[in-house]
């Protein structure tokens, strides 16, 4: 039991930090530009596939650097040639554009790499157990992932607190309607922020690819959870996104690891009752429920606290 | 734009004549007539199946437009109501058979509608608290919740295999067994007409008008006595009901309901149909549903990557013509009335050539990549010319078509813009345009 | 007789900044009351507080004797108070006719009805036509509101505000940005349409204010420094110093 708690906590933190790599970019983009980037998880997927392809060609370490840059460049192009032209048609059109992009990216990835998982391996250098708790080997690669995401977290924090662009971003988070007054370089700042946000998603993809499954539906699987994270944390709140990422990361990891069901806790129901909704619920294991946990949280938070954990804004 | 409008003369836009009223009923009657004679002209099994699917898709898309076009709510989870309607219909059909209730098949879509409505009533109040992006995200979350739960609640949703039913064992009405597809088609056509009339009528009610106001300016609505939350909620319930009707029709058509009914793909398709058709006009989603269903049925047999083409068409519409096809058509109405349409036609014809070349280039590129990667390498047949996907000739042609088509198309569309400006200026001077 | 609007000791803070301080205001039934004051004094904020757009930090607002502070805007509107906005706030994609008709619907009792054909409601149609006639926009009835000229949009804004038949009408700078001729037309329109109603108006043009108002309140830094008849205001030394002394806006 203790073993399970330690391992799941580590895995949960890891998943949470990965979620934060994605949700931070999404939050900043949303606050500054008012655009919810539906394709954000697709950038994460592109990161994973670029990472896989580049690893095959030039090795993992150069890929770790190059793939996010490529994804960032694509993100900037999307902002410059897509969103900027769509802006005049309003937020719904912008959201629809990113929705269409997400759809198209998934299809392009499926066309290039097929619909089944690709063989994206952990680099040999990190392919050993870092330590052994009780009887479980904890892979070094996961420690590496955790280290990378924490490092990026620190870099982000420093950039936000110390640089001019960081200050602008912070101002945008607290006073979104003031962004319009940034002056003539507002377009360049948007492009930069969008590019950096996409690149962060790309990094998450490159490092998560070998540990999770690199497959053409990975964006569609992660995207909705990402939205839950930023609604749960409170739209436009970076601390909220951080807490929500960790909470959802941990909860989901623990849920997957737990095998109990009501039946195992309280014994089986009277078999003569026949199948019903009750028996379904009685027999389902916590692990089976894991995928819906984030959405249940979403519904609960909407009823209890509609602006999210740390949110201040009504819309 | 604004400067030109200051001196608009008393315009002919004002005229609403008896002629308009006649034309209005004429269009509806013509639509019904088409629905009746269509299967008599195209009577093959394949066409009947296609028409049935298109009918269902139209009801579904119209219900979606109650949200998107009328009330300004962009939902990513509308298929939830469609799917729940489908399951409700299947369970109802099975219950009718096993209990021997005297309910014939034509009434079943109503129960589908109630299934969609029930869920909207329960979840809608929380969901419609906020509009805009937040509503969109929540709709996606709820859709995922329902789709995942459906796999857990096996007794209700039948797990992976779904719930199947037999439409022919319900009590007969007018001696119809509903075994043959033709009878199912007429059943769908019947419900299509009823639903379309009802949804059109809805737009002409106080609620329908206020929904538009909520879409345009929810803040101001509060200062003319309305609670935008209530308006959104009622609209959401209506959309849920008619989506449920569509789901019920699908359940009758396929004699099964499964998890795919309420999944993300179904939600995406209805969004595509509605938006491509055009959300600002009632007939827009009808056009969109016809086109998307037709493409879906037609493209699957020609190409393995038809979904990619959908994505590209959709992105193109969002960026170039957010009014959709209906918007494009209706743009021309003032020109037709002012008689200046013929002045823009030549520029259209001129622009069509490079645009078509560009499209061919894009298709060639996509198909050669797709066929090379999937390893089948079957030749690409484009207007009777066969291209081998692996051949450099194909790549060169694709590159030339894309690059050349793009540049020439840009130039020629600029010409269209100029012709268009001239035509609208005249139309405005003649008082056909504000 | 109870006052139409009674504002008592209202404070409004945004964060740490007190924008409205100890605001007291009383508007009698049937009175035309002008609020004047420099830009940023808090006039629009006062409108927002009374109409329920924002909630006071403390204090209370009464409409015809009933407490309305804390109610939602539509609840206040249903009790007979209607307001316009300084920045034009219409339904841009809907026609002029639809704009006014929507504003008529609640007051004529049709509410959220989804079983009535809106085109066949004769009372709604007549009232809408009457208001379009009043605001001189009948010839533009089918034009989307977003395509109107600025002056036309301002007139539509007034039309939407009075369409529901509210007994208390609040207009926030209805003539701002209008030419002299347009202002004159708008003022006579306002005078005619608010006949027998209570009117609260924010206005910068002093000739308009002194010509139209029965009483005037002067708002400076979120506080009313004087309230009285135009004569009293003209003579008030505090007002001269704080407001009329400087160049009138
Ligand atoms: N929502 C808000 N948040 C913060 N400050 C506000 C807000 N609304 C108004 N203010 C401030 O309140 C002051 C008064 O504004 P306003 O009522 O619009 O003035 P007026 O209408 O008299 O010109 C201004 O300094 C303005 O910046
Ligand atoms: Mg003001």
């Amino acid at each position: 039991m203790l073993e399970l708690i330690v391992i799941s906590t580590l895995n949960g933190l890891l998943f949470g930090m990965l979620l934060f790599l994605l949700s931070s970019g999404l939050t900043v983009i949303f606050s500054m530009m008012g655009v919810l980037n539906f394709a954000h998880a697709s950038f994460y997927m592109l990161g994973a596939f670029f990472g896989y392809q580049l690893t095959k060609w030039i090795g993992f370490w150069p890929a770790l650097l190059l793939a996010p840059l490529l994804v960032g460049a694509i993100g900037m192009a999307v902002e410059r040639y897509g969103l900027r032209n769509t802006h005049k048609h309003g937020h719904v059109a912008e959201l629809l554009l990113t929705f269409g992009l997400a759809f198209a990216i998934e299809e392009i990835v499926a066309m290039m790499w097929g619909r089944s998982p690709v063989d994206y391996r952990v680099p040999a250098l990190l392919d050993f157990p870092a330590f052994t708790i009780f009887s479980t080997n904890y892979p070094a690669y996961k420690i590496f992932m955790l280290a990378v995401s924490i490092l990026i977290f620190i870099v982000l924090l420093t950039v936000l607190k110390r640089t001019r662009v960081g200050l602008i971003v912070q101002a945008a988070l607290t006073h979104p309607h003031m962004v319009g007054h940034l002056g003539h370089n507002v377009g360049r700042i948007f492009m930069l922020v969008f590019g950096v946000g996409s690149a962060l998603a790309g990094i998450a993809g490159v490092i998560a690819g070998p540990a999770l499954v690199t497959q053409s539906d990975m964006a569609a699987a992660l995207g909705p959870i990402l939205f839950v994270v930023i609604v749960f944390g409170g739209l436009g709140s970076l601390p909220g996104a951080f807490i929500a990422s960790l909470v959802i990361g941990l909860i989901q990891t623990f849920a997957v690891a737990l095998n109990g069901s009501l039946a195992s806790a309280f014994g089986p129901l009277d078999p003569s009752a026949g199948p019903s909704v009750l028996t379904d619920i009685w027999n389902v294991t916590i692990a089976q429920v894991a995928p819906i946990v984030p959405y249940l949280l979403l519904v609960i938070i909407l009823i209890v606290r509609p602006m999210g954990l740390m949110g201040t804004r009504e819309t | 734009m604004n400067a030109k409008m200051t001196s608009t003369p008393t315009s002919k836009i004002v005229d609403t004549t008896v002629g308009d009223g006649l034309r209005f009923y004429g269009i509806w009657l013509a639509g019904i007539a088409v629905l009746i004679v269509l299967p008599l002209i195209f009577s093959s099994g394949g066409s009947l199946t296609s028409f049935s699917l298109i009918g269902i898709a139209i009801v579904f898309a119209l219900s979606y437009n109650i949200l998107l076009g009328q009330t300004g709510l962009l939902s990513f989870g509308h298929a939830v109501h469609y799917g729940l309607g489908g399951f409700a219909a299947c369970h109802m059909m099975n219950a009718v058979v096993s209990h021997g209730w005297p309910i014939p098949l034509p009434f079943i879509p109503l129960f589908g509608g109630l299934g969609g409505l029930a869920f909207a009533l329960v979840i809608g109040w929380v969901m419609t608290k906020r509009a805009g992006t937040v509503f969109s995200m929540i709709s996606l979350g709820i859709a995922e919740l329902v789709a995942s739960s459906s796999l857990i609640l096996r007794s209700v949703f039948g797990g992976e295999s779904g719930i199947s039913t037999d439409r022919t064992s319900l009590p007969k009405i007018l001696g119809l067994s509903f075994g043959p597809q033709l009878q199912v088609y007429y059943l769908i056509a019947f419900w299509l007409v009823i639903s379309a009339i009802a949804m059109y009528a809805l737009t002409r009610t106080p609620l329908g008008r206020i929904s538009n106001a909520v879409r345009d300016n929810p803040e101001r609505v509060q200062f003319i006595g309305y609670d935008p939350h209530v308006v959104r909620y009622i609209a959401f319930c209506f959309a849920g009901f008619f989506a449920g009707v569509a789901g019920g029709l699908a359940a009758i058509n396929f004699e099964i309901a499964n998890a795919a009914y309420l999944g993300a793909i179904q939600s995406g398709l209805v969004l595509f149909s509605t938006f491509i058709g055009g959300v600002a006009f009632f007939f827009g989603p009808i056009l969109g549903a016809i086109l998307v269903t037709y493409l879906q049925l037609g493209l699957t047999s020609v190409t393995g990557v038809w979904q990619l083409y959908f994505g590209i068409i959709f992105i193109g519409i969002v960026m170039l013509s957010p009014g959709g096809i209906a918007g494009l058509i209706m743009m021309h109405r003032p020109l037709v009335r002012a008689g200046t349409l013929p002045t823009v036609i030549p520029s259209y014809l001129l622009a069509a050539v490079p645009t078509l070349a560009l499209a061919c280039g894009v298709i060639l590129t996509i198909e050669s990549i797709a066929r090379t990667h999937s390893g089948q390498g079957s030749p690409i047949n484009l207007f009777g010319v066969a291209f081998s996907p692996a051949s450099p000739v194909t790549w060169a042609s694709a590159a030339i078509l894309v690059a050349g088509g793009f540049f020439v198309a840009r130039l020629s569309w600029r010409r269209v813009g100029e012709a268009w400006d001239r035509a609208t200026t005249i139309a405005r001077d003649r008082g056909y345009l504000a | 007789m109870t006052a139409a609007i009674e504002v008592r000791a209202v404070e409004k803070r945004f964060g740490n900044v007190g924008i409205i301080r100890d605001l007291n205001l009383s508007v009698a039934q049937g009175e035309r009351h002008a609020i004047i004051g420099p830009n940023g004094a808090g006039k629009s904020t006062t409108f927002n507080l009374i109409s329920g757009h924002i909630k006071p930090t403390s204090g209370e607002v009464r409409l015809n004797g009933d407490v309305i502070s804390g109610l939602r805007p539509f609840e206040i509107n249903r009790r007979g108070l209607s307001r316009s906005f300084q920045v034009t706030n219409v339904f841009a994609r809907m026609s002029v006719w639809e704009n006014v008709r929507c504003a008529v619907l609640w007051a004529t009792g049709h509410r959220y009805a989804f079983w009535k054909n809106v085109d066949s409601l004769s009372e709604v149609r007549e009232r809408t036509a009457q208001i379009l006639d009043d605001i001189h926009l009948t010839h533009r009835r089918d034009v989307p509101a977003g395509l109107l000229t600025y002056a036309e949009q301002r007139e539509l804004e007034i039309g939407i505000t009075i369409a529901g038949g509210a007994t208390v009408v609040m207009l926030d700078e209805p003539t701002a940005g209008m030419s002299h001729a347009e202002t004159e037309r708008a003022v006579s329109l306002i005078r005619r349409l608010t006949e027998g109603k209570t009117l609260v108006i924010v206005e910068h043009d002093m000739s308009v204010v002194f010509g139209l108002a029965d009483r005037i309140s002067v708002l400076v830094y979120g506080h009313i420094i004087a309230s009285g008849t135009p004569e009293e205001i003209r003579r008030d030394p505090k007002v001269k110093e704080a407001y009329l002394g400087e160049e009138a806006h």
Side-chain angles (χ1 to χ4, degrees):
Chain A
M1 193 63 200
L2 187 61
E3 174 184 351
L4 186 121
I5 290 177
V6 173
I7 300 285
S8 291
T9 307
L10 272 174
N11 283 340
L13 279 179
L14 181 55
F15 186 40
M17 288 306 289
L18 272 180
L19 279 179
F20 184 66
L21 274 187
L22 290 158
S23 60
S24 56
L26 198 57
T27 297
V28 170
I29 290 169
F30 179 75
S31 298
M32 292 195 75
M33 308 165 62
V35 182
L36 179 78
N37 181 16
F38 210 98
H40 204 68
S42 309
F43 289 136
Y44 156 81
M45 173 163 76
L46 281 181
F49 276 94
F50 288 175
Y52 160 73
Q53 197 64 47
L54 289 171
T55 300
K56 257 171 71 177
W57 288 340
I58 53 176
F60 180 78
W61 302 104
L64 180 59
L65 196 71
L66 211 53
L69 288 179
L70 271 178
V71 176
I74 293 176
M76 282 163 84
V78 165
E79 199 283 326
R80 175 67 186 80
Y81 297 103
L83 287 173
R84 208 174 289 182
N85 295 330
T86 318
H87 186 71
K88 57 178 177 292
H89 302 308
H91 288 323
V92 166
E94 289 174 313
L95 186 53
L96 284 173
L97 176 67
T98 62
F99 175 74
L101 271 175
F103 189 84
I105 290 176
E106 174 167 344
E107 293 308 316
I108 290 172
V109 166
M111 177 172 86
M112 305 291 288
W113 289 282
R115 290 195 190 269
S116 28
V118 296
D119 182 24
Y120 187 7
R121 297 235 180 113
V122 172
L125 189 62
L126 290 170
D127 198 6
F128 62 92
F131 50 82
T132 308
I133 316 172
F134 309 99
S135 58
T136 312
N137 292 331
Y138 203 77
Y141 187 73
K142 286 198 173 173
I143 298 292
F144 164 76
M145 283 168 73
L146 198 58
V148 170
S149 36
I150 290 174
L151 181 74
I152 290 170
F153 178 66
I154 293 169
V155 171
L156 265 186
L157 216 59
T158 321
V159 167
L160 272 183
K161 293 265 182 280
R162 296 283 142 92
T163 67
R164 215 178 81 84
V165 172
L167 290 179
I168 293 174
V169 170
Q170 271 193 310
L173 286 168
T174 44
H175 297 94
H177 52 279
M178 296 298 287
V179 178
H181 305 295
L182 286 175
H184 62 279
N185 58 358
V186 61
R188 273 184 31 212
I189 292 177
F190 279 8
M191 197 162 92
L192 186 72
V193 168
F194 207 89
V196 171
S198 316
L200 283 179
I203 295 178
V206 182
I207 61 173
L212 309 173
V213 187
T214 301
Q215 197 178 356
S216 67
D217 67 357
M218 62 196 281
L222 192 71
I225 296 184
L226 219 45
F227 292 155
V228 172
V229 167
I230 65 172
V231 173
F232 187 77
L235 268 186
S237 160
L238 265 186
F242 182 66
I243 295 171
S245 299
L246 290 185
V247 166
I248 290 184
L250 283 167
I251 290 184
Q252 227 185 346
T253 314
F254 269 95
V256 171
L258 294 174
N259 240 327
S261 66
L262 291 174
S264 67
F266 301 104
L269 285 176
D270 180 6
S272 64
S276 69
V277 175
L278 185 62
T279 49
D280 287 339
I281 294 175
W282 201 258
N283 292 323
V284 73
T285 65
I286 297 177
Q288 283 173 304
V289 178
I292 67 167
V293 169
Y295 308 112
L296 283 178
L297 281 178
L298 175 75
V299 174
I300 292 168
I301 195 98
L302 282 174
I303 293 168
V304 180
R305 198 180 149 79
M307 70 269 278
L309 276 185
M310 312 281 281
T312 46
R313 277 186 241 159
E314 267 297 307
T315 30
Chain B
M1 212 175 171
N2 274 317
K4 284 184 199 159
M5 273 164 346
T6 46
S7 63
T8 308
T10 309
S11 63
K12 301 175 184 81
I13 307 166
V14 179
D15 297 346
T16 30
T17 56
V18 185
D20 279 354
L22 281 181
R23 192 159 46 188
F24 171 78
Y25 289 110
I27 290 173
W28 282 93
L29 288 175
I32 294 172
V34 168
L35 286 177
I36 292 173
V37 301
L38 212 49
L40 306 179
I41 303 170
F42 306 94
S43 55
S44 73
S47 343
L48 282 182
T49 311
S50 307
F51 294 151
S52 304
L53 293 181
I54 288 174
I56 295 168
I58 292 175
V59 176
F60 193 24
L62 283 175
S63 80
Y64 187 71
N65 208 35
I66 297 177
L67 295 180
L68 183 57
Q70 306 291 337
T71 319
L73 292 172
L74 172 58
S75 167
F76 288 118
H78 198 49
V80 164
H81 307 282
Y82 175 84
L84 291 177
F87 280 104
C90 277
H91 282 297
M92 192 64 200
M93 282 153 81
N94 290 340
V96 166
V97 174
S98 64
H99 292 92
W101 290 334
I103 302 176
L105 191 70
F107 292 95
I108 291 299
L110 187 64
F111 295 96
L114 293 178
L117 173 65
F119 188 68
L121 282 169
V122 172
I123 199 76
W125 186 251
V126 178
M127 279 185 73
T128 54
K129 209 170 251 175
R130 302 200 276 174
T133 307
V134 185
F135 172 82
S136 304
M137 277 192 271
I138 295 167
S139 69
L140 186 75
I142 300 288
E144 291 291 326
L145 178 65
V146 174
S148 313
S149 308
S150 75
L151 293 176
I152 294 173
L153 303 175
R154 305 181 65 88
S155 59
V156 181
F157 296 96
E160 316 272 298
S161 55
I163 300 282
S164 48
T165 182
D166 177 6
R167 66 180 177 231
T168 57
S169 34
L170 274 75
K172 288 200 173 31
I173 183 172
L174 305 173
L176 297 169
S177 68
F178 293 102
Q181 187 66 33
L182 184 67
Q183 293 180 9
V184 174
Y185 164 81
Y186 278 120
L187 175 64
I188 291 172
F190 171 77
W191 273 94
L192 167 59
V193 171
I194 301 273
S195 312
I197 291 175
M199 285 188 264
Y200 181 77
L202 185 65
T203 66
R204 307 305 314 164
T205 63
L207 179 82
R209 303 289 82 213
I210 283 295
S211 299
N212 285 182
V214 168
R215 171 198 70 197
D216 279 8
N217 193 342
E219 181 198 63
R220 185 64 155 118
V221 164
Q222 302 197 29
F223 294 91
I224 55 172
Y226 282 91
D227 182 353
H229 183 191
V230 173
V231 176
R232 285 193 291 262
Y233 178 58
I234 304 177
F236 186 79
C237 290
F238 272 104
F241 175 79
F242 286 107
V245 169
L249 290 171
I252 290 173
N253 187 58
F254 297 112
E255 299 188 290
I256 192 169
N258 56 37
Y261 275 43
L262 33 76
I265 297 193
Q266 201 63 250
S267 292
L269 273 179
V270 73
L271 165 56
F272 279 11
S273 307
T274 309
F275 195 80
I276 290 174
V279 299
F281 299 95
F282 186 78
F283 68 94
I286 300 179
L287 294 184
I290 295 173
L291 181 78
V292 168
T293 313
Y294 184 75
L295 280 182
Q296 196 188 353
L297 295 171
L299 282 180
T300 34
S301 57
V302 202
T303 169
V305 289
W306 58 275
Q307 297 173 57
L308 179 56
Y309 290 108
F310 268 13
I312 291 173
I313 294 173
F314 181 75
I315 292 174
I317 297 262
V318 173
M319 291 196 61
L320 302 173
S321 166
I325 300 169
L328 281 180
I329 295 173
M330 296 306 271
M331 259 169 78
H332 293 83
R333 201 159 63 159
L335 300 198
V336 173
R337 289 187 174 167
T340 52
L341 186 63
T343 63
V344 293
I345 300 264
S347 67
Y348 278 167
L349 295 178
L350 211 62
V353 178
T355 309
L356 207 60
L358 174 61
C360 288
V362 170
I363 293 172
L364 260 189
T365 313
I366 292 176
E367 287 303 318
S368 41
I369 295 176
R371 292 180 195 206
T372 316
H373 278 261
S374 69
Q376 30 164 299
S378 56
I380 306 155
N381 201 325
L382 208 60
F383 299 113
V385 186
F387 291 90
S388 159
S391 134
V393 179
T394 306
W395 303 339
S397 331
I400 291 168
L401 283 172
V402 169
F406 180 74
F407 280 109
V408 183
R410 248 172 62 148
L411 286 179
S412 58
W413 279 105
R414 208 165 289 157
R415 290 274 303 270
V416 172
E418 287 160 11
W420 183 261
D421 281 346
R422 280 192 300 274
T424 46
T425 309
I426 298 171
R428 192 168 289 129
D429 289 343
R430 293 182 186 166
Y432 289 99
L433 194 64
Chain C
M1 203 158 90
T2 51
I5 296 177
E6 182 83 52
V7 179
R8 281 189 204 150
V10 162
E11 309 265 342
K12 180 65 196 179
R13 312 178 72 83
F14 291 114
N16 299 324
V17 195
I19 297 294
I20 299 292
R21 304 165 299 139
D22 191 27
L23 187 79
N24 290 284
L25 176 70
S26 179
V27 180
Q29 302 282 353
E31 179 177 299
R32 288 182 218 268
H33 197 109
I35 296 179
I36 62 174
N39 273 321
K43 303 181 295 295
S44 297
T45 306
T46 302
F47 266 44
N48 290 341
L49 287 165
I50 296 174
S51 63
H53 199 28
I54 54 178
K55 292 187 177 29
T57 312
S58 66
E60 136 186 319
V61 181
R62 284 170 184 268
L63 177 68
N64 301 325
D66 303 328
V67 178
I68 55 165
S69 36
L71 294 185
R72 313 272 299 276
F74 50 87
E75 293 168 320
I76 294 174
N77 180 269
R78 291 170 196 171
R79 291 170 179 237
L81 183 147
S82 185
R83 66 163 293 186
S84 75
F85 288 80
Q86 179 175 358
V87 179
T88 305
N89 202 352
V90 296
F91 305 107
R93 283 156 63 191
M94 295 162 67
S95 70
V96 171
W97 172 266
E98 294 277 7
N99 267 267
V100 173
R101 183 165 65 180
C102 279
V104 167
L105 283 173
W106 187 275
T108 45
H110 299 295
R111 305 183 172 209
Y112 303 106
F114 48 79
W115 54 88
K116 301 176 185 171
N117 180 352
V118 75
D119 297 313
S120 63
L121 303 171
S122 53
E123 189 194 353
V124 171
R125 193 172 50 230
E126 280 153 23
R127 198 143 147 187
T128 308
Q130 178 61 48
I131 284 167
L132 279 193
D133 199 36
D134 287 339
I135 60 175
H136 315 294
L137 285 178
T138 305
H139 66 292
R140 303 281 271 163
R141 53 170 273 167
D142 290 328
V143 177
L147 297 183
L148 294 177
T149 65
Y150 177 75
E152 285 172 336
Q153 286 190 353
R154 295 304 301 169
E155 286 175 332
L156 178 59
E157 178 80 37
I158 296 173
I160 293 175
T161 308
I162 54 122
T167 52
V168 180
V169 175
M170 302 178 71
L171 302 176
D172 195 352
E173 305 203 18
T175 68
M178 285 189 178
S179 70
H180 189 69
E182 286 165 345
T183 301
E184 262 181 18
R185 199 168 95 145
V187 170
S188 75
L189 178 74
I190 291 166
R191 195 187 289 279
R192 193 157 47 83
L193 293 181
T194 59
E195 199 69 54
K197 300 182 175 188
T198 309
L199 172 70
V200 184
I201 183 171
V202 171
E203 181 55 59
H204 278 309
D205 187 326
M206 284 308 139
S207 60
V208 170
V209 169
F210 285 96
L212 190 68
D214 303 324
R215 287 174 66 83
I216 299 172
S217 290
V218 185
L219 188 69
V220 178
Y221 291 124
H223 189 75
I224 289 188
I225 58 165
S227 204
T229 63
E231 246 346 275
E232 289 165 359
I233 293 298
R234 216 190 295 271
R235 283 196 310 258
D236 193 306
K238 271 190 300 189
V239 177
K240 275 188 184 153
E241 180 194 342
Y243 186 63
L244 297 179
E246 32 175 299
E247 208 183 334
H249 290 269

